[in-house]
Amino acid sequence: MSTNQGKLKPSSSELDLDRPNIEDYLPSGASIQEPHGKLRLSDLLDISPILTEAAGAIVDDSFTRCFKSNSPEPWNWNVYLFPLWCFGVVFRYLILFPARAIVLTIGWIIFLSCFIPVHFLLKGNDALRKKLERVLVELICSFFVASWTGVVKYHGPRPSMRPKQVFVANHTSMIDFIILEQMTAFAVIMQKHPGWVGLLQSTILESVGCIWFNRSEAKDREIVAKKLREHSQGADNNPLLIFPEGTCVNNQYSVMFKKGAFELGCTVCPIAIKYNKIFVDAFWNSRKQSFTMHLLQLMTSWAVVCDVWYLEPQNLRPGETAIEFAERVRDIISVRAGLRKVPWDGYLKYSRPSPKHRERKQQSFAESVLRRLEEK
């Protein structure tokens, strides 16, 4: 790798587009007395591609890439394509969107007119009430998918209700739950949300056994863990669905899986979800966009295209820890969905160290590497 005025040229690969210059994190020449005849770190980087990649990984803040929406490349760049793009915008917003809104409204009318009587009039017959509520929840989720013109391919056997099993999936958006729910009424563990989404969580979705938590409440972890164990042991409970990443990732990477789902003593059934970004990016960045705006974005796109794979169930192997079990299942999902594994905890998205703190750590590490190289 060649240098230009002491600066490293960034790689042309996709992952290096926004990689900072390694030399920028090293001390300046004036601040270090260079022993005569010894190699500098920049010299070693020039002759060692492996060391170059390692140093680049140290100074590169790749964590943020897991939670970035990738803007589509513009295609309406000439006089021939621009009119077609304008026609598409008018068609999507003035024809498709109203039609989809009508479909979703009809779905809600059918759902509520059936769900309310079933929920309140059949309390004496729990078995029948739960069965009908399960069917109705699947129905309203199907209307949601139809309102996006969802093109979803399901691969593998449909999940069944069995005790001591838990389903885990990679997480891109809250619509993951809707897409999976239209085929099987899962009981999901999910972050408690405000607004109309929170109202649905506390009323309709609780009817299928969903469990909610709040990240800011430390006591919630113990309560949720207890509820998970109790739910997984019930033979008549809906299949339990968990998104072990704990946050939405942009469907290009997979972050660390939390070990809670793998400590229940249950069979773990992996589910891989992969969205095709040909029409719309299904990633929900909850920090920049409300879920309502996210739905509007989906409803004004041409279609939501994705594949769902129900993969082979996995069990804890002898001598395997819960963390190792979680990583093995993450490997299976990542390979099937074509995701790149990164060693990050997704909760850092909500409590990340400040940029100045990261820069000081990177500078300190680079200085220590340089000192060790010069001492040898």
Side-chain angles (χ1 to χ4, degrees), residues 142-226:
S142 297
F143 274 104
F144 267 106
V145 175
S147 71
W148 318 321
T149 313
V151 182
V152 186
K153 290 184 179 180
Y154 297 89
H155 310 268
R158 181 174 176 173
S160 58
M161 293 177 57
R162 296 178 183 176
K164 288 194 172 184
Q165 70 172 1
V166 58
F167 292 81
V168 299
N170 57 299
H171 197 22
T172 305
S173 168
M174 201 186 302
I175 70 169
D176 300 338
F177 165 71
I178 297 174
I179 287 174
L180 296 176
E181 198 79 2
Q182 75 161 345
M183 288 293 289
T184 304
F186 287 104
V188 70
I189 172 173
M190 189 184 294
Q191 163 73 21
K192 184 70 174 178
H193 291 275
W196 66 271
V197 177
L199 180 61
L200 293 181
Q201 289 177 324
S202 59
T203 53
I204 296 172
L205 294 182
E206 280 196 356
S207 64
V208 291
C210 294
I211 302 170
W212 316 115
F213 67 90
N214 192 338
R215 288 189 181 91
S216 61
E217 295 291 337
K219 295 181 179 179
D220 272 14
R221 296 183 181 180
E222 298 178 2
I223 297 174
V224 168
K226 182 179 179 181

Coordinates of all heavy atoms in Angstrom, one line a residue, residues 142-226:
S142 N -52.0 -9.6 8.3 CA -52.1 -9.8 6.8 C -52.5 -8.6 6.1 O -52.0 -8.2 5.0 CB -53.0 -11.0 6.5 OG -52.5 -12.2 7.0
F143 N -53.5 -7.8 6.7 CA -53.9 -6.6 6.1 C -52.8 -5.5 6.1 O -52.6 -4.8 5.2 CB -55.1 -6.0 6.9 CG -56.4 -6.5 6.4 CD1 -57.1 -7.5 7.1 CD2 -57.0 -6.1 5.2 CE1 -58.3 -8.0 6.7 CE2 -58.2 -6.6 4.7 CZ -58.9 -7.5 5.5
F144 N -52.0 -5.5 7.2 CA -50.8 -4.6 7.2 C -49.8 -4.9 6.1 O -49.4 -4.0 5.4 CB -50.1 -4.7 8.6 CG -50.5 -3.7 9.6 CD1 -51.3 -4.1 10.6 CD2 -50.2 -2.4 9.5 CE1 -51.7 -3.2 11.6 CE2 -50.6 -1.5 10.4 CZ -51.3 -1.9 11.5
V145 N -49.5 -6.2 5.9 CA -48.6 -6.6 4.8 C -49.2 -6.3 3.5 O -48.5 -5.8 2.6 CB -48.3 -8.1 4.9 CG1 -47.4 -8.6 3.7 CG2 -47.6 -8.4 6.2
A146 N -50.5 -6.4 3.3 CA -51.1 -6.1 2.0 C -51.1 -4.6 1.8 O -51.0 -4.1 0.6 CB -52.6 -6.5 2.1
S147 N -51.1 -3.8 2.9 CA -51.0 -2.3 2.7 C -49.7 -1.8 2.2 O -49.5 -0.7 1.9 CB -51.4 -1.6 4.0 OG -50.4 -1.8 5.0
W148 N -48.6 -2.7 2.3 CA -47.3 -2.4 1.7 C -47.1 -3.0 0.4 O -46.0 -2.9 -0.2 CB -46.2 -2.8 2.7 CG -46.4 -2.6 4.1 CD1 -47.0 -1.5 4.7 CD2 -46.1 -3.4 5.2 NE1 -47.0 -1.6 6.0 CE2 -46.5 -2.8 6.4 CE3 -45.4 -4.7 5.2 CZ2 -46.3 -3.4 7.6 CZ3 -45.2 -5.3 6.5 CH2 -45.6 -4.6 7.7
T149 N -48.1 -3.8 -0.1 CA -47.9 -4.7 -1.2 C -46.7 -5.6 -0.9 O -45.7 -5.7 -1.7 CB -47.7 -4.0 -2.6 OG1 -48.7 -2.9 -2.7 CG2 -47.8 -4.9 -3.7
G150 N -46.8 -6.3 0.2 CA -45.7 -7.1 0.7 C -45.6 -8.4 -0.1 O -46.6 -9.1 -0.4
V151 N -44.4 -8.6 -0.6 CA -44.1 -9.8 -1.4 C -43.1 -10.6 -0.5 O -41.9 -10.4 -0.5 CB -43.4 -9.5 -2.7 CG1 -43.1 -10.8 -3.5 CG2 -44.3 -8.6 -3.5
V152 N -43.7 -11.6 0.3 CA -42.9 -12.3 1.3 C -42.9 -13.8 0.9 O -43.9 -14.4 0.7 CB -43.5 -12.2 2.7 CG1 -42.6 -12.8 3.7 CG2 -43.8 -10.7 3.0
K153 N -41.7 -14.4 0.8 CA -41.5 -15.8 0.6 C -41.1 -16.5 1.9 O -40.1 -16.1 2.5 CB -40.5 -16.0 -0.5 CG -40.9 -15.6 -1.9 CD -39.8 -15.9 -2.9 CE -40.2 -15.6 -4.4 NZ -39.2 -15.9 -5.3
Y154 N -41.8 -17.5 2.3 CA -41.5 -18.2 3.5 C -40.9 -19.6 3.1 O -41.5 -20.3 2.2 CB -42.8 -18.5 4.3 CG -43.4 -17.2 4.8 CD1 -44.4 -16.5 4.1 CD2 -43.1 -16.7 6.0 CE1 -45.0 -15.3 4.5 CE2 -43.6 -15.5 6.5 CZ -44.6 -14.8 5.7 OH -45.2 -13.7 6.2
H155 N -39.8 -19.9 3.7 CA -39.1 -21.1 3.3 C -39.0 -22.0 4.6 O -38.7 -21.5 5.7 CB -37.6 -20.8 2.9 CG -37.6 -19.8 1.8 ND1 -37.6 -20.1 0.4 CD2 -37.5 -18.4 1.9 CE1 -37.5 -18.9 -0.3 NE2 -37.4 -17.9 0.6
G156 N -39.3 -23.3 4.4 CA -39.2 -24.2 5.6 C -40.6 -24.4 6.2 O -41.6 -23.8 5.9
P157 N -40.6 -25.4 7.1 CA -41.9 -25.8 7.8 C -42.5 -24.6 8.7 O -41.7 -24.0 9.4 CB -41.6 -27.0 8.6 CG -40.1 -26.9 8.8 CD -39.5 -26.2 7.6
R158 N -43.8 -24.5 8.6 CA -44.4 -23.5 9.5 C -44.3 -23.8 10.9 O -44.5 -25.0 11.3 CB -45.9 -23.4 9.1 CG -46.7 -22.3 9.8 CD -48.1 -22.2 9.3 NE -48.9 -21.3 10.0 CZ -50.1 -20.9 9.7 NH1 -50.7 -21.4 8.5 NH2 -50.8 -20.0 10.4
P159 N -44.0 -22.8 11.8 CA -43.9 -23.1 13.2 C -45.1 -23.7 13.8 O -46.2 -23.4 13.5 CB -43.5 -21.8 13.8 CG -43.0 -21.0 12.7 CD -43.7 -21.5 11.5
S160 N -44.9 -24.6 14.8 CA -46.1 -25.2 15.5 C -46.0 -24.9 17.0 O -45.0 -24.5 17.5 CB -46.0 -26.8 15.3 OG -44.8 -27.3 15.7
M161 N -47.1 -25.1 17.7 CA -47.2 -24.9 19.1 C -46.7 -26.1 19.9 O -47.3 -27.1 19.9 CB -48.7 -24.6 19.5 CG -49.2 -23.3 19.0 SD -50.9 -23.0 19.4 CE -50.8 -23.1 21.2
R162 N -45.5 -26.0 20.5 CA -44.9 -27.0 21.3 C -44.3 -26.4 22.5 O -43.8 -25.3 22.4 CB -43.9 -27.8 20.5 CG -44.4 -28.5 19.2 CD -43.2 -29.2 18.5 NE -43.6 -29.8 17.3 CZ -42.8 -30.4 16.4 NH1 -41.5 -30.4 16.6 NH2 -43.3 -31.0 15.3
P163 N -44.3 -27.1 23.6 CA -43.7 -26.6 24.8 C -42.2 -26.7 24.7 O -41.6 -27.4 23.9 CB -44.2 -27.5 25.9 CG -44.5 -28.8 25.2 CD -45.0 -28.4 23.9
K164 N -41.5 -25.9 25.5 CA -40.0 -25.9 25.5 C -39.4 -25.6 24.2 O -38.5 -26.3 23.8 CB -39.5 -27.2 26.1 CG -39.8 -27.3 27.6 CD -39.0 -28.4 28.2 CE -39.1 -28.5 29.7 NZ -38.3 -29.5 30.4
Q165 N -39.9 -24.6 23.5 CA -39.2 -24.1 22.3 C -39.3 -22.6 22.2 O -40.3 -22.1 22.6 CB -39.8 -24.8 21.0 CG -41.1 -24.4 20.6 CD -41.6 -25.0 19.3 OE1 -40.8 -25.7 18.6 NE2 -42.7 -24.6 18.8
V166 N -38.3 -22.0 21.6 CA -38.3 -20.6 21.5 C -37.8 -20.2 20.1 O -36.8 -20.9 19.6 CB -37.5 -19.9 22.6 CG1 -36.1 -20.4 22.6 CG2 -37.5 -18.4 22.4
F167 N -38.4 -19.3 19.4 CA -37.9 -18.8 18.1 C -37.1 -17.5 18.2 O -37.6 -16.6 18.9 CB -39.1 -18.6 17.2 CG -39.9 -19.9 16.8 CD1 -40.8 -20.5 17.7 CD2 -39.6 -20.5 15.6 CE1 -41.4 -21.6 17.4 CE2 -40.3 -21.7 15.3 CZ -41.2 -22.3 16.2
V168 N -36.0 -17.5 17.5 CA -35.2 -16.3 17.6 C -34.9 -15.8 16.1 O -34.8 -16.6 15.2 CB -33.8 -16.5 18.3 CG1 -34.1 -16.9 19.7 CG2 -33.0 -17.6 17.6
A169 N -34.9 -14.5 15.9 CA -34.7 -13.9 14.6 C -33.9 -12.7 14.6 O -33.8 -12.0 15.6 CB -36.1 -13.6 13.9
N170 N -33.2 -12.4 13.5 CA -32.6 -11.1 13.4 C -33.6 -10.0 13.3 O -34.8 -10.2 12.9 CB -31.6 -11.1 12.2 CG -32.4 -11.4 10.9 OD1 -32.9 -12.5 10.7 ND2 -32.3 -10.5 9.9
H171 N -33.2 -8.8 13.6 CA -34.2 -7.7 13.8 C -33.9 -6.5 12.9 O -32.8 -5.9 13.1 CB -34.3 -7.3 15.2 CG -35.5 -6.6 15.6 ND1 -36.7 -6.6 14.9 CD2 -35.8 -5.7 16.7 CE1 -37.6 -5.8 15.5 NE2 -37.0 -5.3 16.6
T172 N -34.8 -6.1 12.0 CA -34.6 -4.9 11.2 C -35.6 -3.8 11.5 O -35.3 -2.6 11.4 CB -34.7 -5.3 9.7 OG1 -33.7 -6.4 9.4 CG2 -34.4 -4.1 8.8
S173 N -36.8 -4.2 11.8 CA -37.9 -3.2 12.0 C -39.0 -3.9 12.8 O -39.0 -5.2 12.9 CB -38.4 -2.7 10.7 OG -39.6 -2.0 10.9
M174 N -39.9 -3.1 13.3 CA -41.0 -3.7 14.0 C -41.9 -4.5 13.0 O -42.7 -5.4 13.4 CB -41.9 -2.7 14.7 CG -42.8 -3.2 15.8 SD -43.9 -2.0 16.5 CE -42.7 -0.7 17.1
I175 N -41.8 -4.3 11.7 CA -42.5 -5.0 10.8 C -42.1 -6.5 10.7 O -42.8 -7.3 10.1 CB -42.5 -4.3 9.4 CG1 -41.1 -4.5 8.7 CG2 -42.9 -2.9 9.4 CD1 -41.1 -4.1 7.2
D176 N -40.9 -6.8 11.2 CA -40.5 -8.2 11.3 C -41.5 -9.0 12.0 O -41.9 -10.1 11.6 CB -39.1 -8.3 12.1 CG -38.0 -7.6 11.4 OD1 -38.1 -7.3 10.2 OD2 -37.0 -7.3 12.1
F177 N -42.0 -8.4 13.1 CA -43.0 -9.1 13.9 C -44.3 -9.3 13.1 O -44.9 -10.3 13.1 CB -43.3 -8.3 15.2 CG -44.6 -8.7 15.9 CD1 -44.7 -9.9 16.6 CD2 -45.7 -7.8 15.9 CE1 -45.8 -10.2 17.3 CE2 -46.8 -8.2 16.5 CZ -46.9 -9.4 17.2
I178 N -44.7 -8.2 12.4 CA -45.9 -8.3 11.6 C -45.8 -9.4 10.5 O -46.8 -10.1 10.2 CB -46.3 -6.9 11.0 CG1 -46.5 -5.9 12.1 CG2 -47.5 -7.0 10.1 CD1 -46.7 -4.5 11.6
I179 N -44.7 -9.4 9.8 CA -44.5 -10.4 8.7 C -44.5 -11.8 9.3 O -45.1 -12.7 8.6 CB -43.2 -10.1 8.0 CG1 -43.3 -8.8 7.1 CG2 -42.7 -11.2 7.1 CD1 -42.1 -8.3 6.5
L180 N -43.9 -12.0 10.4 CA -43.9 -13.4 11.0 C -45.3 -13.7 11.6 O -45.7 -14.8 11.6 CB -42.8 -13.5 12.1 CG -41.4 -13.3 11.6 CD1 -40.4 -13.4 12.8 CD2 -41.0 -14.4 10.6
E181 N -45.9 -12.7 12.1 CA -47.2 -12.9 12.8 C -48.3 -13.3 11.9 O -49.3 -13.9 12.3 CB -47.6 -11.7 13.6 CG -48.6 -11.9 14.7 CD -48.1 -12.5 16.0 OE1 -46.8 -12.7 16.0 OE2 -48.8 -12.7 16.9
Q182 N -48.3 -12.8 10.6 CA -49.3 -13.1 9.7 C -49.4 -14.6 9.4 O -50.4 -15.1 8.9 CB -49.2 -12.3 8.4 CG -48.2 -12.8 7.5 CD -48.4 -12.2 6.1 OE1 -49.4 -11.7 5.7 NE2 -47.3 -12.3 5.2
M183 N -48.3 -15.3 9.6 CA -48.3 -16.8 9.4 C -48.5 -17.6 10.6 O -49.2 -18.6 10.6 CB -46.9 -17.2 8.8 CG -46.7 -16.7 7.3 SD -47.9 -17.6 6.2 CE -47.1 -19.2 6.2
T184 N -48.0 -17.1 11.8 CA -48.1 -17.8 13.0 C -48.3 -16.8 14.1 O -47.5 -15.8 14.2 CB -46.8 -18.6 13.3 OG1 -46.6 -19.5 12.2 CG2 -47.0 -19.4 14.6
A185 N -49.2 -16.9 15.0 CA -49.5 -16.0 16.1 C -48.4 -16.2 17.2 O -48.6 -17.0 18.1 CB -50.9 -16.2 16.7
F186 N -47.3 -15.5 17.1 CA -46.2 -15.6 18.1 C -46.6 -14.7 19.3 O -47.2 -13.7 19.1 CB -44.9 -15.2 17.5 CG -44.3 -16.1 16.5 CD1 -44.3 -15.9 15.1 CD2 -43.6 -17.2 17.0 CE1 -43.7 -16.8 14.2 CE2 -43.0 -18.1 16.1 CZ -43.1 -17.9 14.7
A187 N -46.1 -15.2 20.4 CA -46.0 -14.3 21.6 C -44.6 -13.7 21.6 O -43.6 -14.4 21.6 CB -46.3 -15.1 22.9
V188 N -44.5 -12.4 21.5 CA -43.2 -11.8 21.3 C -42.8 -11.0 22.5 O -43.6 -10.5 23.3 CB -43.2 -10.8 20.0 CG1 -44.1 -9.6 20.3 CG2 -41.8 -10.4 19.6
I189 N -41.5 -10.9 22.7 CA -40.9 -10.1 23.8 C -40.4 -8.8 23.1 O -39.6 -8.9 22.1 CB -39.8 -10.7 24.6 CG1 -39.2 -9.7 25.6 CG2 -38.8 -11.4 23.8 CD1 -38.2 -10.3 26.5
M190 N -40.8 -7.6 23.5 CA -40.5 -6.4 22.8 C -40.5 -5.2 23.7 O -41.1 -5.2 24.8 CB -41.6 -6.2 21.7 CG -41.3 -5.1 20.7 SD -42.7 -4.8 19.5 CE -42.7 -6.4 18.7
Q191 N -39.7 -4.2 23.3 CA -39.6 -3.0 24.0 C -41.0 -2.3 24.0 O -41.7 -2.2 23.1 CB -38.6 -2.1 23.3 CG -38.7 -0.6 23.7 CD -38.2 -0.3 25.1 OE1 -37.4 -1.1 25.7 NE2 -38.6 0.8 25.7
K192 N -41.3 -1.8 25.2 CA -42.6 -1.0 25.3 C -42.5 0.3 24.6 O -41.5 1.1 24.8 CB -42.9 -0.8 26.8 CG -44.3 -0.1 27.1 CD -45.4 -1.0 26.8 CE -46.7 -0.4 27.2 NZ -47.9 -1.2 26.8
H193 N -43.5 0.6 23.8 CA -43.5 1.8 23.0 C -44.6 2.8 23.4 O -45.6 2.3 23.9 CB -43.6 1.5 21.5 CG -42.5 0.8 20.9 ND1 -41.4 1.5 20.4 CD2 -42.2 -0.5 20.7 CE1 -40.5 0.6 19.9 NE2 -41.0 -0.6 20.1
P194 N -44.4 4.1 23.2 CA -45.5 5.0 23.5 C -46.5 5.1 22.4 O -46.3 4.5 21.3 CB -44.7 6.3 23.7 CG -43.5 6.2 22.8 CD -43.1 4.7 22.8
G195 N -47.5 6.0 22.6 CA -48.4 6.3 21.5 C -49.4 5.2 21.2 O -49.6 4.3 22.0
W196 N -49.8 5.2 19.9 CA -50.8 4.2 19.5 C -50.2 2.8 19.4 O -50.9 1.8 19.6 CB -51.4 4.6 18.1 CG -50.4 4.5 17.0 CD1 -49.6 5.5 16.5 CD2 -50.2 3.4 16.1 NE1 -48.9 5.1 15.5 CE2 -49.2 3.9 15.2 CE3 -50.7 2.1 16.0 CZ2 -48.7 3.0 14.1 CZ3 -50.2 1.3 15.0 CH2 -49.2 1.8 14.1
V197 N -48.9 2.7 19.2 CA -48.2 1.4 19.2 C -48.3 0.8 20.6 O -48.6 -0.4 20.8 CB -46.8 1.5 18.7 CG1 -46.1 0.1 18.8 CG2 -46.7 2.0 17.3
G198 N -48.0 1.6 21.7 CA -48.1 1.1 23.0 C -49.5 0.7 23.4 O -49.7 -0.2 24.2
L199 N -50.5 1.4 22.9 CA -51.9 1.0 23.1 C -52.2 -0.3 22.5 O -52.9 -1.2 23.2 CB -52.9 2.1 22.5 CG -54.4 1.9 22.7 CD1 -54.8 1.8 24.1 CD2 -55.2 2.9 21.9
L200 N -51.8 -0.6 21.3 CA -51.9 -1.9 20.7 C -51.2 -3.0 21.6 O -51.8 -4.1 21.7 CB -51.4 -1.9 19.3 CG -52.1 -1.1 18.3 CD1 -51.5 -1.2 16.9 CD2 -53.6 -1.5 18.2
Q201 N -50.0 -2.7 22.1 CA -49.3 -3.6 22.9 C -50.1 -4.0 24.1 O -50.1 -5.2 24.5 CB -47.9 -3.1 23.2 CG -47.0 -3.0 22.1 CD -45.6 -2.3 22.5 OE1 -45.6 -1.4 23.3 NE2 -44.6 -2.8 21.9
S202 N -50.6 -3.0 24.8 CA -51.2 -3.3 26.1 C -52.7 -3.8 26.0 O -53.2 -4.2 27.0 CB -51.3 -2.0 26.9 OG -52.0 -1.0 26.2
T203 N -53.2 -3.9 24.8 CA -54.6 -4.4 24.6 C -54.6 -5.6 23.7 O -54.7 -6.7 24.2 CB -55.5 -3.3 24.0 OG1 -54.9 -2.8 22.8 CG2 -55.7 -2.2 25.0
I204 N -54.5 -5.4 22.4 CA -54.7 -6.5 21.4 C -53.6 -7.5 21.5 O -53.8 -8.7 21.6 CB -54.8 -5.9 20.0 CG1 -56.0 -5.0 19.9 CG2 -54.8 -7.0 19.0 CD1 -56.1 -4.2 18.6
L205 N -52.3 -7.1 21.5 CA -51.2 -8.0 21.4 C -51.0 -8.8 22.7 O -50.4 -9.9 22.7 CB -49.9 -7.3 21.1 CG -49.9 -6.7 19.7 CD1 -48.6 -6.0 19.4 CD2 -50.2 -7.7 18.6
E206 N -51.5 -8.3 23.8 CA -51.4 -9.1 25.1 C -52.3 -10.3 25.0 O -52.1 -11.3 25.8 CB -51.7 -8.2 26.3 CG -50.6 -7.3 26.7 CD -50.8 -6.8 28.1 OE1 -51.9 -7.0 28.7 OE2 -49.9 -6.1 28.6
S207 N -53.2 -10.3 24.1 CA -54.1 -11.4 24.0 C -53.4 -12.7 23.4 O -53.9 -13.8 23.6 CB -55.3 -11.1 23.1 OG -54.9 -10.8 21.8
V208 N -52.3 -12.5 22.8 CA -51.5 -13.6 22.3 C -50.3 -13.9 23.2 O -49.5 -14.7 22.8 CB -51.1 -13.4 20.8 CG1 -52.3 -13.4 19.9 CG2 -50.3 -12.1 20.7
G209 N -50.3 -13.3 24.3 CA -49.3 -13.6 25.3 C -48.0 -12.8 25.2 O -46.9 -13.3 25.7
C210 N -48.0 -11.7 24.5 CA -46.8 -10.9 24.3 C -46.3 -10.4 25.6 O -47.1 -10.1 26.6 CB -47.0 -9.8 23.3 SG -47.4 -10.4 21.6
I211 N -45.0 -10.2 25.7 CA -44.3 -9.7 27.0 C -43.6 -8.4 26.6 O -42.8 -8.4 25.7 CB -43.3 -10.8 27.5 CG1 -44.1 -12.1 27.8 CG2 -42.7 -10.3 28.8 CD1 -43.2 -13.3 28.1
W212 N -43.8 -7.4 27.5 CA -43.1 -6.1 27.2 C -42.1 -5.8 28.3 O -42.2 -6.2 29.4 CB -44.2 -5.0 27.1 CG -45.4 -5.4 26.3 CD1 -46.7 -5.6 26.8 CD2 -45.4 -5.8 25.0 NE1 -47.5 -6.0 25.8 CE2 -46.8 -6.1 24.6 CE3 -44.5 -5.8 23.9 CZ2 -47.2 -6.5 23.4 CZ3 -44.9 -6.2 22.7 CH2 -46.2 -6.5 22.4
F213 N -41.1 -5.0 27.9 CA -40.1 -4.6 28.9 C -39.7 -3.1 28.6 O -40.0 -2.6 27.5 CB -38.8 -5.5 28.8 CG -38.1 -5.3 27.5 CD1 -37.1 -4.4 27.4 CD2 -38.4 -6.2 26.4 CE1 -36.4 -4.3 26.2 CE2 -37.7 -6.0 25.2 CZ -36.7 -5.1 25.1
N214 N -39.0 -2.5 29.5 CA -38.5 -1.2 29.4 C -37.0 -1.2 29.7 O -36.6 -1.6 30.8 CB -39.3 -0.2 30.4 CG -39.0 1.2 30.1 OD1 -38.0 1.6 29.5 ND2 -39.9 2.1 30.6
R215 N -36.2 -0.7 28.8 CA -34.8 -0.8 28.9 C -34.3 0.0 30.1 O -33.3 -0.3 30.7 CB -34.1 -0.3 27.7 CG -34.2 -1.2 26.5 CD -33.3 -0.8 25.4 NE -33.4 -1.7 24.2 CZ -34.3 -1.5 23.2 NH1 -35.1 -0.5 23.2 NH2 -34.3 -2.3 22.2
S216 N -35.0 1.1 30.4 CA -34.6 2.0 31.5 C -34.9 1.4 32.9 O -34.4 1.9 33.9 CB -35.3 3.4 31.4 OG -36.7 3.2 31.5
E217 N -35.6 0.3 33.0 CA -36.0 -0.3 34.3 C -35.1 -1.5 34.5 O -35.3 -2.5 33.8 CB -37.4 -0.6 34.3 CG -38.4 0.6 34.3 CD -38.3 1.4 35.5 OE1 -37.9 0.9 36.6 OE2 -38.6 2.6 35.5
A218 N -34.2 -1.4 35.5 CA -33.3 -2.6 35.7 C -34.1 -3.8 36.3 O -33.7 -4.9 36.0 CB -32.2 -2.2 36.7
K219 N -35.2 -3.5 37.0 CA -35.9 -4.6 37.6 C -36.7 -5.4 36.5 O -37.1 -6.6 36.7 CB -37.0 -4.1 38.6 CG -36.3 -3.5 39.8 CD -37.4 -3.0 40.8 CE -36.7 -2.4 42.1 NZ -37.7 -1.8 43.0
D220 N -36.9 -4.8 35.4 CA -37.6 -5.5 34.3 C -36.9 -6.7 33.8 O -37.6 -7.7 33.3 CB -37.8 -4.5 33.1 CG -39.1 -3.7 33.2 OD1 -39.7 -3.7 34.4 OD2 -39.5 -3.1 32.3
R221 N -35.6 -6.8 33.9 CA -34.9 -7.9 33.4 C -35.3 -9.2 34.2 O -35.5 -10.2 33.6 CB -33.4 -7.7 33.5 CG -32.9 -6.5 32.6 CD -31.4 -6.4 32.7 NE -30.9 -5.3 31.9 CZ -29.6 -4.9 31.8 NH1 -28.7 -5.5 32.5 NH2 -29.3 -3.9 31.0
E222 N -35.3 -9.1 35.5 CA -35.7 -10.2 36.3 C -37.1 -10.7 36.1 O -37.4 -11.8 36.0 CB -35.4 -9.9 37.8 CG -34.0 -9.6 38.1 CD -33.8 -9.3 39.6 OE1 -34.8 -9.3 40.3 OE2 -32.7 -9.0 40.0
I223 N -38.0 -9.7 36.0 CA -39.4 -10.0 35.7 C -39.6 -10.6 34.4 O -40.3 -11.6 34.3 CB -40.3 -8.7 35.9 CG1 -40.1 -8.1 37.3 CG2 -41.7 -8.9 35.5 CD1 -40.8 -6.7 37.4
V224 N -39.0 -10.1 33.4 CA -39.1 -10.6 32.0 C -38.5 -12.0 32.0 O -39.1 -12.9 31.3 CB -38.4 -9.7 31.0 CG1 -38.3 -10.4 29.6 CG2 -39.2 -8.4 30.8
A225 N -37.4 -12.3 32.6 CA -36.8 -13.6 32.6 C -37.7 -14.6 33.2 O -37.8 -15.8 32.7 CB -35.4 -13.6 33.3
K226 N -38.4 -14.3 34.3 CA -39.3 -15.2 34.9 C -40.5 -15.5 34.0 O -40.9 -16.6 33.9 CB -39.8 -14.5 36.2 CG -40.7 -15.4 37.0 CD -41.2 -14.8 38.3 CE -42.1 -15.7 39.1 NZ -42.6 -15.0 40.4

